[in-house]
């Protein structure tokens, strides 16, 4: 049933269209290897926005702000007041209101999923995920309910992860940082440095790899993860891809598999910010761990990720796009099957930290910039 409802939602999304602003929006042209980019400003004035989700039809775009606001960007680019009913967030450091995704059955159930940093004891926090229904007037989230909590709560402001991805069968994957507590990524009794897989209501599937094992969290799907701030489902084969920050160097792109250990902190291509080696690291590889699918020795500061799967811009087909916070670019990776065969850096002229990247229902790319005066931009080829 989960698979059928998700497929129905995907079919419905194919007929959605996103209106361009009624007023003339600022547009600039930039060079790229595949042609001239047209970059249109959809909205400005967002305070450190983190994620976007496209509503059906002409209803607009939901945007999270790290401070705790969920806003609606109308088709004309106007920003709404913050929606009510959003959970209280722990807005410190990298924490706050983070990812937003729609239920695969949104047109029927109007359910919105949010990830966020939640306060715990002793001034620390961890990632939480909840869901509620978007009101018909688009002004509030109703009946919000927490379905997942990272335990224990260990973050003092860093490494929450927090991307949410539904797979083809309707399972929900959540990426979780190790809260800057390195060894916990290898501890299966903790939810730090993990990717978890749950049902949409928070229940644990019986076929998760560690279900029934003593002193192991049953939600865990894979582990050995540092700070995964980008994740997306490969539309051509249904596999989950995630990207994560290395320490100083060694940002990674991984294809996530059931029960696998992705190495952190036993294996890494990076070093401490002080220049010293990672104490736990055995080198770039370690026995029993999976190496990165693709690695950046100099860290771009990877964030949101989107596969391009639309006929509007054929030059981008079978590409994956990743935001970069540190280098302030949009990274285009050309694929042959799953293999990365070419990389291009885009949008450096914006000089803004790119936090999220999504393919819109209209076939354009949309990027969100993490700034005091953050922007939502629409990207196409001329």
């Amino acid at each position: 049933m989960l698979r059928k409802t998700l497929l129905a939602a995907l079919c419905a999304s194919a007929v959605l269209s996103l209106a361009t602003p009624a007023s003339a929006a600022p547009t600039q042209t930039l060079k790229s290897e595949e042609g001239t980019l047209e970059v249109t400003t959809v909205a400005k004035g967002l305070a450190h926005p983190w994620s976007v989700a496209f509503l059906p039809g002409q209803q607009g775009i939901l945007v999270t702000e790290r401070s705790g606001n969920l806003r609606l960007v109308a088709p004309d680019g106007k920003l709404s007041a913050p929606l009510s009913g959003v959970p209280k967030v722990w807005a410190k450091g990298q924490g706050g209101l983070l990812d937003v995704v729609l239920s695969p059955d949104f047109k029927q159930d109007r359910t919105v999923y949010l990830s966020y940093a939640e306060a715990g004891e002793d001034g620390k926090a961890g990632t939480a995920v909840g869901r509620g229904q978007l009101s018909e007037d688009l002004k509030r989230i109703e009946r919000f309910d927490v379905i997942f909590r990272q335990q224990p709560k260990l973050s003092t402001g860093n490494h929450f992860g927090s991307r949410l991805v539904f797979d083809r069968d309707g399972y929900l994957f959540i990426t979780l940082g190790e809260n800057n507590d390195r060894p916990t990524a290898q501890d299966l009794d903790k939810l730090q440095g993990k990717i978890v897989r749950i049902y949409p209501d928070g229940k644990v599937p019986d076929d998760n790899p560690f279900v029934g094992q003593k002193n192991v969290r049953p939600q865990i799907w894979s582990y050995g993860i540092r700070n995964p701030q980008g994740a997306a489902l490969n539309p051509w084969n249904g596999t989950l891809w995630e990207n994560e920050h290395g320490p100083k160097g060694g940002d990674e792109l991984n294809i996530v598999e059931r029960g696998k250990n992705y190495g952190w902190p036993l294996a890494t291509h990076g070093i401490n910010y002080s220049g010293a080696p990672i104490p736990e690291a055995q080198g770039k590889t370690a026995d029993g761990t999976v190496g990165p699918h693709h690695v950046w020795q100099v860290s771009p500061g990877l964030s949101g990720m989107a596969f391009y799967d639309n006929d509007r811009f054929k030059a981008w087909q079978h590409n994956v796009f990743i935001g970069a916070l540190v280098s302030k670019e949009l990274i285009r990776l050309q694929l042959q099957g799953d293999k990365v065969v070419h990389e291009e850096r885009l949008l450096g002229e914006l000089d803004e930290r790119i936090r999220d990247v999504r393919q819109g229902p209209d076939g354009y790319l949309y990027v969100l910039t993490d700034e005091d005066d953050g922007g939502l931009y629409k990207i196409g080829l001329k």
Side-chain angles (χ1 to χ4, degrees):
M1 184 175 293
L2 281 169
R3 187 180 182 89
K4 289 180 180 178
T5 54
L6 183 59
L7 287 172
L10 291 173
C11 291
S13 71
V15 300
L16 301 181
S17 62
L18 185 72
T20 55
S23 57
T27 298
Q28 58 182 306
T29 57
L30 303 173
K31 292 181 179 180
S32 83
E33 293 175 358
E34 300 297 344
T36 300
L37 293 180
E38 289 191 324
V39 182
T40 302
T41 302
V42 177
K44 288 287 287 183
L46 293 157
H48 294 281
W50 213 91
S51 180
V52 301
F54 299 91
L55 295 176
Q58 307 302 317
Q59 296 180 84
I61 307 170
L62 292 175
V63 179
T64 58
E65 293 177 312
R66 204 170 66 231
S67 61
N69 293 330
L70 178 64
R71 295 184 184 273
L72 179 71
V73 178
D76 63 0
K78 183 179 179 181
L79 293 180
S80 74
L83 277 65
S84 63
V86 174
K88 182 180 180 180
V89 305
W90 192 85
K92 299 179 182 179
Q94 297 170 0
L97 186 60
L98 304 173
D99 211 4
V100 54
V101 300
L102 305 184
S103 160
D105 296 320
F106 179 82
K107 293 186 76 173
Q108 287 73 46
D109 60 29
R110 301 192 64 79
T111 299
V112 175
Y113 287 77
L114 298 170
S115 69
Y116 57 100
E118 180 185 58
E121 298 177 356
D122 303 322
K124 296 182 179 180
T127 300
V129 177
R131 63 179 185 174
Q133 284 69 53
L134 179 64
S135 64
E136 293 288 346
D137 62 7
L138 310 179
K139 292 183 178 180
R140 60 191 177 277
I141 300 295
E142 300 174 330
R143 299 178 292 280
F144 188 83
D145 181 48
V146 179
I147 62 167
F148 172 85
R149 286 185 165 97
Q150 186 181 39
Q151 296 292 346
K153 288 180 167 59
L154 300 177
S155 180
T156 58
N158 296 310
H159 299 190
F160 291 94
S162 287
R163 289 294 175 187
L164 306 175
V165 179
F166 281 99
D167 74 1
R168 291 174 173 177
D169 295 317
Y171 294 105
L172 177 61
F173 288 88
I174 307 167
T175 72
L176 301 168
E178 34 74 294
N179 295 167
N180 204 26
D181 190 339
R182 292 188 298 262
T184 61
Q186 294 293 322
D187 294 341
L188 295 181
D189 64 341
K190 299 179 179 64
L191 289 171
Q192 276 69 28
K194 310 298 189 298
I195 293 175
V196 302
R197 173 182 180 254
I198 58 176
Y199 284 115
D201 62 1
K203 294 178 181 177
V204 178
D206 291 338
D207 61 347
N208 272 7
F210 302 106
V211 166
Q213 296 189 25
K214 187 177 181 181
N215 297 323
V216 177
R217 300 277 180 171
Q219 300 97 329
I220 296 172
W221 184 256
S222 58
Y223 63 107
I225 309 292
R226 186 174 182 267
N227 188 21
Q229 294 196 10
L233 201 71
N234 184 317
W236 308 297
N237 58 26
T239 55
L240 177 66
W241 291 34
E242 66 89 18
N243 66 59
E244 60 189 83
H245 293 213
K248 186 177 181 180
D251 285 11
E252 296 183 6
L253 176 64
N254 293 301
I255 300 177
V256 180
E257 297 184 68
R258 183 182 190 274
K260 294 296 180 66
N261 179 357
Y262 289 85
W264 178 254
L266 305 179
T268 179
H269 287 251
I271 57 176
N272 264 319
Y273 295 106
S274 66
I278 302 297
E280 300 88 350
Q282 301 171 18
K284 293 181 179 180
T285 62
D287 290 345
T289 69
V290 178
H293 184 66
H294 190 73
V295 65
W296 288 263
Q297 194 59 52
V298 177
S299 294
L302 305 178
S303 193
M305 176 165 61
F307 289 89
Y308 192 81
D309 185 28
N310 195 281
D311 290 333
R312 180 177 284 274
F313 302 115
K314 295 186 184 300
W316 286 349
Q317 289 179 352
H318 292 279
N319 286 198
V320 61
F321 292 84
I322 301 175
L325 297 164
V326 175
S327 63
K328 298 183 178 181
E329 295 164 314
L330 179 64
I331 300 172
R332 180 181 69 87
L333 297 180
Q334 184 178 338
L335 304 176
Q336 287 183 0
D338 284 343
K339 184 180 180 182
V340 176
V341 296
H342 180 66
E343 175 177 332
E344 182 185 12
R345 303 291 181 99
L346 304 168
L347 304 187
E349 295 89 342
L350 290 180
D351 193 31
E352 296 185 48
R353 289 160 48 89
I354 295 180
R355 170 63 70 183
D356 200 11
V357 186
R358 307 278 176 164
Q359 179 186 297
D362 55 3
Y364 286 84
L365 284 177
Y366 289 78
V367 300
L368 197 61
T369 61
D370 181 6
E371 303 285 344
D372 292 338
D373 180 20
L376 176 62
Y377 299 94
K378 174 182 173 180
I379 316 296
L381 286 171
K382 189 172 181 179

